Amino acid sequence: MDFKRLILGLAFGGILLSGCNDELSQVGPSIQPDGDRSFVYADTFQLEASTIKLDSVYARTVNGLLGQIYDPLYGNLKTDYICQFYCPENYKFAHEPIDGKVDSMAFFIMYDEGGYVGDSLAPMQAKIYQVTKPLARNYYTNMNPEDFCDLQTLIGEKTYTAYDLSIPDSIRNITDTSDPDYYTPNVRIRISTDIAQRFYDETVNNPSSFQNQEAFNKFFPGFYVTTGFGTGNILEVAQSSFFIYYKYKSTTEAGKDTIIHTREQFNVTKEVIQMNQIENGNIEQLLEPNEEFSYLRSPAGVCTKIVVPASAIKEKIGDRIINGLNFSMKAMPQEEWLYAFEAPDNVLLLPEDSVQSFFENNKIEDNVTSYLATFGEYATNTYSFGNISSLLQVHLENKPDEDLNLILLPVLRGTQNSSSSWGSSGKPYTTSITNYMKPSGVRLKKDKEAMQIVVLTSKYND
């Protein structure tokens, strides 16, 4: 059998060098016995591609998006989020506020330098509402804030721009994170002091509310963070936190009385729930019948569906062994208008009926039933998935009479460098795949030539 595989390998190399055709090729007649000849086939088939609506995506993350932006091609995108906060077990204030009174409370939306899409100077308004009902563990982006919040009671608001002109370059240029003046871009929103005082009073009068996370969530279900007026910018939120500020009495080393200003801090962490809401508008033009392009847009919005004629392939190849099926999608150049969306760096290809379980179970590509492609990794403006023949083979084994429906959608790939035998960093490998939450969009070619595939199969004449 090893000899046969060697001959087949040489045959496939010859086919790839000489071009694809549908004719049977007999391999090695001069060196193989008559009863042990191998045959290689190259059959051409036509795929179908279309753009379909993607109402929501699974987004279990502590990161969020906040804002609204309009793109002439990809339509309107509005984003906001609801979040809980992590509370240590048996929490209490580190110090006793003077006279049992706190001073103020503020909510912080923190993001990285350049962590936004759109016009950095577009005036935006952030608004905060208190969550009044326990959050359900639903991480899909079509949640309805009205199910959890009292939207008639505003507890904080702030007008901001993503690039804060009040911060001087001397502060922005500080790179030492231990420097007390180190600047992290943020939107600071003052919250009603009544909420902060009620929070402290609860720690004194009903400490069981802070016994564990479940008890804390019932007492303090969280915040809904959204926008009011303004469009043209979306923040990529890296961290959400609130601070309660107060003063307490202390003594100096010399024994003199002094007053210390301090704060208590609560953060959104992976242990608690954050739910992102994505609203898409004006995307009808992407869904219209189109012979030239299909579309990808994130977050949610639309994705590309690909139909592989599996039943016709099965009828054509019979019981031959599937050896090769290279697949790629050619992307068109990006639009050139101001703040045009960028193409997503990574896209995932997998069966339509496995999308939900893939993300909910935190899977990564296995190159059997799911494949990852990086934009332009092997060719300009191309997502190349390589040989996806295993995907077709698995489908034919389970559903030989049905066509194979695949979904292509943008993802965020987490990586880690592998170690080489020489001690240096090797090629990165995937550690996580999640739905891509950054605004992006790309047109993919779907004309007849772009949608042709060649299936390489083999058969032994035993």
Side-chain angles (χ1 to χ4, degrees):
M1 183 59 72
D2 290 342
F3 179 75
K4 292 178 182 178
R5 289 176 178 169
L6 174 61
I7 295 300
L8 287 175
L10 295 172
F12 292 140
I15 287 175
L16 294 175
L17 290 172
S18 62
C20 297
N21 59 75
D22 296 330
E23 297 179 359
L24 178 147
S25 174
Q26 184 174 305
V27 182
S30 63
I31 59 176
Q32 283 188 287
D34 288 342
D36 198 27
R37 291 177 181 171
S38 301
F39 296 90
V40 177
Y41 301 79
D43 297 301
T44 302
F45 299 92
Q46 197 72 33
L47 304 180
E48 295 180 5
S50 60
T51 305
I52 64 173
K53 190 174 183 179
L54 196 62
D55 286 325
S56 65
V57 294
Y58 185 79
R60 184 172 184 177
T61 175
V62 298
N63 305 120
L65 294 174
L66 182 67
Q68 184 169 349
I69 197 168
Y70 174 78
D71 183 271
L73 175 60
Y74 295 103
N76 191 64
L77 175 65
K78 187 178 189 302
T79 62
D80 52 33
Y81 61 97
I82 289 179
C83 56
Q84 291 177 334
F85 297 89
Y86 175 73
C87 180
E89 290 186 357
N90 299 311
Y91 164 83
K92 61 180 181 179
F93 273 44
H95 306 278
E96 181 181 348
I98 295 176
D99 298 327
K101 301 296 182 182
V102 300
D103 295 332
S104 62
M105 181 176 183
F107 178 78
F108 285 84
I109 303 167
M110 289 171 273
Y111 51 99
D112 296 328
E113 193 71 44
Y116 48 80
V117 175
D119 184 357
S120 64
L121 298 179
M124 306 291 294
Q125 181 194 41
K127 305 176 77 172
I128 309 295
Y129 298 89
Q130 191 158 15
V131 178
T132 57
K133 299 178 183 178
L135 300 184
R137 287 190 176 274
N138 174 15
Y139 296 105
Y140 284 88
T141 56
N142 58 353
M143 65 92 175
N144 184 1
E146 293 183 359
D147 294 339
F148 307 100
C149 306
D150 175 12
L151 299 183
Q152 304 303 313
T153 306
L154 183 68
I155 61 172
E157 60 182 326
K158 176 70 174 292
T159 300
Y160 68 92
T161 58
Y163 187 89
D164 189 346
L165 293 174
S166 69
I167 305 299
D169 289 342
S170 59
I171 297 296
R172 290 184 182 276
N173 293 335
I174 296 175
T175 58
D176 182 2
T177 56
S178 64
D179 191 310
D181 291 326
Y182 178 80
Y183 171 70
T184 298
N186 68 87
V187 178
R188 183 182 187 274
I189 305 170
R190 188 180 181 91
I191 303 297
S192 170
T193 305
D194 290 342
I195 295 176
Q197 188 62 51
R198 193 160 60 245
F199 193 99
Y200 171 71
D201 291 344
E202 186 77 6
T203 65
V204 175
N205 300 325
N206 192 14
S208 62
S209 294
F210 302 86
Q211 184 176 5
N212 52 46
Q213 188 67 48
E214 182 179 1
F216 178 74
N217 291 341
K218 291 179 180 178
F219 162 66
F220 196 85
F223 286 153
Y224 170 44
V225 188
T226 187
T227 53
F229 68 77
T231 186
N233 180 269
I234 289 181
L235 296 179
E236 300 170 27
V237 182
Q239 176 67 58
S240 299
S241 305
F242 73 82
F243 295 172
I244 296 177
Y245 300 90
Y246 64 98
K247 301 183 289 290
Y248 69 94
K249 295 178 180 179
S250 185
T251 56
T252 66
E253 292 182 357
K256 294 184 178 181
D257 292 337
T258 187
I259 293 177
I260 306 294
H261 293 258
T262 189
R263 68 191 186 190
E264 304 289 323
Q265 179 176 348
F266 288 78
N267 303 316
V268 177
T269 69
K270 63 181 181 180
E271 288 85 6
V272 296
I273 296 174
Q274 175 164 302
M275 300 191 298
N276 296 276
Q277 179 182 222
I278 308 295
E279 295 181 12
N280 294 290
N282 307 109
I283 61 173
E284 292 77 13
Q285 70 276 12
L286 304 179
L287 301 170
E288 294 175 355
N290 187 322
E291 298 298 325
E292 295 183 272
F293 310 115
S294 66
Y295 296 91
L296 298 179
R297 206 207 77 171
S298 69
V302 300
C303 65
T304 290
K305 179 177 180 178
I306 298 167
V307 179
V308 180
S311 56
I313 293 174
K314 180 61 177 177
E315 182 179 356
K316 178 72 174 181
I317 69 173
D319 59 354
R320 299 181 210 155
I321 301 170
I322 301 176
N323 301 104
L325 169 52
N326 286 321
F327 179 66
S328 63
M329 291 290 287
K330 179 74 172 180
M332 299 302 295
Q334 294 303 101
E335 288 67 37
E336 296 183 355
W337 49 69
L338 192 62
Y339 310 123
F341 285 0
E342 297 180 355
D345 288 335
N346 297 283
V347 295
L348 183 71
L349 181 73
L350 74 171
E352 184 176 25
D353 58 8
S354 65
V355 172
Q356 179 177 346
S357 62
F358 183 93
F359 291 103
E360 289 184 359
N361 295 321
N362 299 315
K363 295 182 180 180
I364 62 174
E365 84 280 7
D366 58 12
N367 294 323
V368 177
T369 58
S370 55
Y371 292 80
L372 190 72
T374 298
F375 186 64
E377 184 177 12
Y378 299 107
T380 304
N381 284 6
T382 301
Y383 293 102
S384 298
F385 296 92
N387 183 1
I388 66 168
S389 59
S390 295
L391 180 57
L392 176 60
Q393 183 64 55
V394 170
H395 177 80
L396 292 180
E397 290 172 358
N398 295 290
K399 302 176 182 178
D401 299 324
E402 299 179 16
D403 287 339
L404 173 58
N405 296 321
L406 302 175
I407 295 296
L408 188 66
L409 69 170
V411 293
L412 176 65
R413 181 194 185 203
T415 62
Q416 183 172 326
N417 286 334
S418 58
S419 299
S420 71
S421 58
W422 300 99
S424 59
S425 295
K427 186 176 180 179
Y429 62 90
T430 303
T431 56
S432 65
I433 292 180
T434 55
N435 280 291
Y436 196 45
M437 296 300 290
K438 181 177 179 178
S440 70
V442 66
R443 292 179 296 157
L444 302 173
K445 289 189 66 176
K446 53 163 284 188
D447 55 62
K448 184 176 180 180
E449 181 181 357
M451 289 289 97
Q452 282 187 346
I453 58 169
V454 176
V455 180
L456 298 180
T457 58
S458 62
K459 184 177 183 180
Y460 296 115
N461 184 17
D462 293 328

